[in-house]
Amino acid sequence: MKATINDVAKLAGVSIKTVSRVINNETSVRQLTREKVQQAVDELKYQPNLSARNLAGTKSYSIAYIYDNPNAYYIIDMQEGILSACKQQGFELLIHPCDSKSQGVTEEVVNMVKQARIAGLILTPPLSEMPEFVQSMVDLDVKVVRIMSGDVAPDDLSPCVMVNDRDAAQTITQHLIDLGHTNIAFIAGDAEHMSTIERYKGYRRALKASNIAFNKDLVIEGEYSFDSGVSGAKQLMVEQSNKHVRPTAIFSCNDEIAAGALFAARLMNISIPEQLSIVGFENSPFSRQTWPKLTTADQPNNQIAEDAANLLISQIRKQKNPITISQYVPKLIVRDSTAKC
Amino acid sequence: MKATINDVAKLAGVSIKTVSRVINNETSVRQLTREKVQQAVDELKYQPNLSARNLAGTKSYSIAYIYDNPNAYYIIDMQEGILSACKQQGFELLIHPCDSKSQGVTEEVVNMVKQARIAGLILTPPLSEMPEFVQSMVDLDVKVVRIMSGDVAPDDLSPCVMVNDRDAAQTITQHLIDLGHTNIAFIAGDAEHMSTIERYKGYRRALKASNIAFNKDLVIEGEYSFDSGVSGAKQLMVEQSNKHVRPTAIFSCNDEIAAGALFAARLMNISIPEQLSIVGFENSPFSRQTWPKLTTADQPNNQIAEDAANLLISQIRKQKNPITISQYVPKLIVRDSTAKC
DNA sequence: TTAATAATTGACAGCGCTGTCATTTTTTTA
DNA sequence: TAAAAAAATGACAGCGCTGTCAATTATTAA
């Protein structure tokens, strides 16, 4: 059956404690011994038993991904990325969906963490953007890593993996400007999401950099939904037209909104991209299912998640690697929904 | 700190073995004793330590959800349902995404199952519909529950939770017939998915039941994608029109296809539902984001998953409850994409 | 060279639980 | 009523590992 630490010890001719030291990468093991043990480990394809470790040690080898599902695609990507880091590092992943708006989330998660002896947590928006919630988690005896929108961490409650929506949004807007557009509208996502705010900042910054006057009539408040895209685009293309500032391009805060805008344009007999350019954000499967396909920004969620998990695990292991706060800038993907003005 | 079995034993005035018997619902415990122990358990809010159980016992308290992601929404729903059953029953869930088309899936999953000492597996399409794969899983020493499309299990390899797509499809088609449609087209999903086959059967059966002649020109082979809906609808509404059998309604095998069909209709200036009725299937978030909103069929994925997990766990516990093969029939949801002919 | 110090290694208990088997208590049978 | 059988309970080892601390070996200082 499966090899245990005893088998390895016997094969290597050392005590189990020494094997334990080697697999835990502790100091005070002679190089020669270490190699002998490692060889035995490899030969037997030994993998430590998680239950035994959890039971015997004070350390835990479980991390949890706590999330309030904003978007199924996103969550699935995150899970896969985290999982792949866990597999490599011999950690176990517990997933814990919850409702960030419910009264008792914090308590619920606190209980869960205590109950399951969890060593660390990964948090994504919207949970990662709720300061009191994050604080509560940090107050427990668990490590936390947050994935959030921005260029630098907003505080030092925990290490963060940052997604620089601002720069990406600037690049996207610049893409539109490069195509000759000057009347560029912006349909926002939920105002309380940092990503919305950041993307908006990037949009503004791009305009400014090219000396294009900002026109607040071209900014529509919305939410991250298809409907919001539909109504936003209608408002822009119909109502605004009275004021003679019909935009020639729309920056949609995500792909869902963009899909809605695309749909609205079709309703109004506006051809895309000839008469109107539309860009999305996120590169969701959505964006390849529209017609024309959306120009958008891609963020490597899988990799972001893996990164976050690795960061978390190295924290748990107290590896004093200079906690490199990683930052990802979503990349522009030009497809068929944008064209020269 | 957390209460252990020792604390409970002390409080109840019995040995830890007796506590163990009570929490494992074993026989040979006097009613009175059982109550005393139960009371102590409640008082201390005792919950057995999973690691200790896994380590000490021959039993395992871990189940795994193995899936090849056909659809993020579906997976997320499944996970939540399974999780809620696990929580109630004191089980732990491991999730394991994989690629059903890759050469080594079976081996990979086999290793994972052995490695993690897993007691049971939950399988969903497409994995649940791959006989050799299922066989391999059953050959391991794990219990399996499959969720699949159909009315009865295709074999007795494992208990199944069936989703009766056929009856649901018949109901949907009947809905169209009731609205006066007789030229009802069908855009199929991937041919190798049982759901496609079942839905097609339901469609045919409804036609037959109402003595409507079947016209094979109205059946389009496709796949579960938006694009397939677009091209399918175009083909039906343009090409077929030459033969003067333009359909007045389209049964799309899922919501994505329906969204595509909706989109194509818009392109062709066909108004929905006035000139053409379109139905979907699955009640995905998609279906509420289209305009008009899709008439579709809803399956309670959350509950199906919970049911499957409970079935699996009772199997693991060898509770000889007459393994009730549950069957769900998706329910028709009438929204705005269908109207009188 | 030897004693003192540091580095390396191992013996052993114990984490919280279950499985085995012996012991005690209760019930049944003669 | 006593003996036999059955039911209920407990003592104890051990699952695979880590933590503690003692024992051994290597290294350095004197």
Side-chain angles (χ1 to χ4, degrees), chain A residues 113-141:
Chain A
V113 169
K114 283 187 180 164
Q115 162 64 25
R117 268 184 97 247
I118 281 171
L121 300 178
I122 292 181
L123 265 28
T124 48
L127 289 169
S128 62
E129 294 173 358
M130 295 164 54
E132 340 71 43
F133 179 80
V134 175
Q135 184 64 256
S136 305
M137 295 304 112
V138 172
D139 289 345
L140 288 166
D141 202 23

Coordinates of all heavy atoms in Angstrom, one line a residue, chain A residues 113-141:
Chain A
V113 N -13.5 28.6 9.9 CA -12.0 28.7 10.0 C -11.5 28.0 11.3 O -10.6 27.1 11.2 CB -11.4 30.1 9.9 CG1 -10.0 30.1 10.3 CG2 -11.7 30.7 8.6
K114 N -12.1 28.3 12.4 CA -11.7 27.6 13.6 C -12.0 26.1 13.6 O -11.1 25.3 13.9 CB -12.5 28.3 14.8 CG -12.1 29.6 15.2 CD -12.8 30.1 16.4 CE -12.4 31.4 16.9 NZ -13.3 32.0 17.9
Q115 N -13.2 25.8 13.2 CA -13.6 24.4 13.1 C -12.6 23.6 12.3 O -12.2 22.5 12.7 CB -15.0 24.3 12.5 CG -15.4 23.0 12.0 CD -15.5 21.9 13.1 OE1 -15.6 22.3 14.3 NE2 -15.3 20.7 12.8
A116 N -12.2 24.1 11.2 CA -11.4 23.3 10.2 C -9.9 23.4 10.4 O -9.2 22.9 9.6 CB -11.9 23.6 8.8
R117 N -9.5 24.2 11.4 CA -8.1 24.4 11.6 C -7.4 24.8 10.3 O -6.6 24.0 9.7 CB -7.4 23.1 12.1 CG -7.3 23.2 13.7 CD -6.6 22.0 14.2 NE -5.2 22.2 14.5 CZ -4.1 21.7 13.9 NH1 -4.3 20.9 12.8 NH2 -2.9 21.9 14.2
I118 N -7.7 25.9 9.8 CA -7.3 26.4 8.5 C -6.1 27.4 8.7 O -6.1 28.2 9.7 CB -8.4 27.1 7.8 CG1 -9.3 26.0 7.2 CG2 -7.9 28.1 6.8 CD1 -10.6 26.5 6.6
A119 N -5.1 27.2 7.9 CA -3.9 28.0 8.0 C -3.9 29.3 7.3 O -3.3 30.3 7.7 CB -2.7 27.2 7.6
G120 N -4.7 29.4 6.2 CA -4.7 30.6 5.5 C -6.0 30.7 4.6 O -6.7 29.8 4.3
L121 N -6.2 32.0 4.2 CA -7.4 32.3 3.4 C -7.0 33.1 2.2 O -6.1 33.9 2.2 CB -8.3 33.1 4.2 CG -8.9 32.6 5.6 CD1 -9.8 33.7 6.2 CD2 -9.7 31.3 5.3
I122 N -7.7 32.8 1.1 CA -7.6 33.6 -0.1 C -9.0 34.3 -0.2 O -10.0 33.7 -0.2 CB -7.3 32.8 -1.3 CG1 -5.8 32.3 -1.1 CG2 -7.4 33.6 -2.6 CD1 -5.3 31.5 -2.3
L123 N -8.9 35.6 -0.4 CA -10.1 36.4 -0.6 C -10.1 37.2 -1.9 O -9.1 37.7 -2.3 CB -10.1 37.5 0.6 CG -10.9 37.2 1.9 CD1 -11.0 35.8 2.2 CD2 -10.2 38.0 3.0
T124 N -11.2 37.1 -2.5 CA -11.4 37.9 -3.8 C -12.5 38.9 -3.6 O -13.3 38.8 -2.7 CB -11.7 37.0 -5.0 OG1 -12.8 36.1 -4.6 CG2 -10.5 36.1 -5.4
P125 N -12.6 39.9 -4.5 CA -13.7 40.8 -4.4 C -15.1 40.1 -4.5 O -15.1 39.1 -5.2 CB -13.6 41.7 -5.7 CG -12.1 41.6 -6.0 CD -11.7 40.2 -5.7
P126 N -16.1 40.5 -3.9 CA -16.2 41.7 -3.0 C -15.6 41.5 -1.6 O -15.4 42.5 -0.9 CB -17.7 42.0 -3.0 CG -18.3 40.6 -3.1 CD -17.4 39.8 -4.0
L127 N -15.4 40.3 -1.2 CA -15.0 40.1 0.2 C -13.6 40.8 0.5 O -13.4 41.3 1.6 CB -14.9 38.6 0.5 CG -16.2 37.8 0.6 CD1 -15.9 36.3 0.7 CD2 -16.9 38.3 1.9
S128 N -12.7 40.7 -0.5 CA -11.4 41.3 -0.2 C -11.5 42.8 -0.1 O -10.5 43.4 0.3 CB -10.5 40.9 -1.4 OG -11.0 41.4 -2.6
E129 N -12.6 43.4 -0.5 CA -12.7 44.8 -0.4 C -13.5 45.3 0.7 O -13.9 46.4 0.8 CB -13.3 45.3 -1.7 CG -12.4 45.1 -2.9 CD -13.0 45.5 -4.3 OE1 -14.2 45.9 -4.3 OE2 -12.3 45.3 -5.3
M130 N -13.8 44.4 1.7 CA -14.6 44.8 2.9 C -13.6 44.8 4.1 O -13.4 43.8 4.7 CB -15.7 43.7 3.1 CG -16.7 43.7 2.0 SD -17.8 42.2 2.0 CE -18.4 42.3 3.7
P131 N -13.2 46.0 4.4 CA -12.2 46.2 5.4 C -12.5 45.5 6.8 O -11.6 44.9 7.3 CB -12.1 47.7 5.6 CG -12.6 48.3 4.3 CD -13.6 47.3 3.8
E132 N -13.7 45.6 7.2 CA -14.0 45.0 8.5 C -13.9 43.5 8.5 O -13.5 42.9 9.4 CB -15.4 45.4 9.0 CG -16.0 46.7 8.4 CD -16.4 46.4 7.0 OE1 -17.0 45.4 6.7 OE2 -16.1 47.3 6.1
F133 N -14.4 43.0 7.3 CA -14.3 41.6 7.2 C -12.9 41.1 7.2 O -12.5 40.1 7.9 CB -15.0 41.1 5.9 CG -15.0 39.7 5.6 CD1 -15.9 38.8 6.3 CD2 -14.1 39.1 4.7 CE1 -15.8 37.4 6.0 CE2 -14.0 37.8 4.5 CZ -14.9 36.9 5.2
V134 N -12.1 41.8 6.4 CA -10.7 41.4 6.3 C -10.0 41.5 7.7 O -9.3 40.6 8.1 CB -9.9 42.3 5.3 CG1 -8.4 42.0 5.3 CG2 -10.5 42.1 3.9
Q135 N -10.3 42.5 8.4 CA -9.8 42.7 9.7 C -10.1 41.5 10.6 O -9.3 41.0 11.3 CB -10.4 44.0 10.3 CG -9.8 44.4 11.7 CD -8.3 44.7 11.6 OE1 -7.5 43.8 12.0 NE2 -7.9 45.8 11.1
S136 N -11.4 41.1 10.6 CA -11.8 40.0 11.4 C -11.0 38.7 11.0 O -10.7 37.9 11.9 CB -13.3 39.7 11.1 OG -14.1 40.8 11.4
M137 N -10.7 38.6 9.8 CA -10.0 37.4 9.4 C -8.6 37.4 9.9 O -8.0 36.5 10.4 CB -10.0 37.2 7.8 CG -11.3 37.0 7.2 SD -12.2 35.6 7.8 CE -13.5 36.3 8.7
V138 N -8.0 38.6 9.7 CA -6.6 38.8 10.2 C -6.5 38.6 11.7 O -5.5 38.0 12.2 CB -6.1 40.2 9.8 CG1 -4.8 40.5 10.4 CG2 -6.0 40.3 8.3
D139 N -7.6 39.0 12.4 CA -7.6 38.9 13.9 C -7.6 37.4 14.3 O -7.1 37.1 15.4 CB -8.8 39.6 14.5 CG -8.7 41.1 14.3 OD1 -7.5 41.5 14.1 OD2 -9.7 41.8 14.5
L140 N -8.1 36.6 13.5 CA -8.0 35.1 13.8 C -6.6 34.8 13.6 O -5.8 35.6 13.1 CB -8.9 34.3 12.8 CG -10.4 34.5 13.0 CD1 -11.1 33.9 11.7 CD2 -10.8 33.6 14.2
D141 N -6.2 33.6 13.9 CA -4.8 33.3 13.7 C -4.5 32.7 12.3 O -3.8 31.6 12.2 CB -4.4 32.3 14.8 CG -2.9 32.4 15.0 OD1 -2.3 33.4 14.7 OD2 -2.3 31.4 15.5

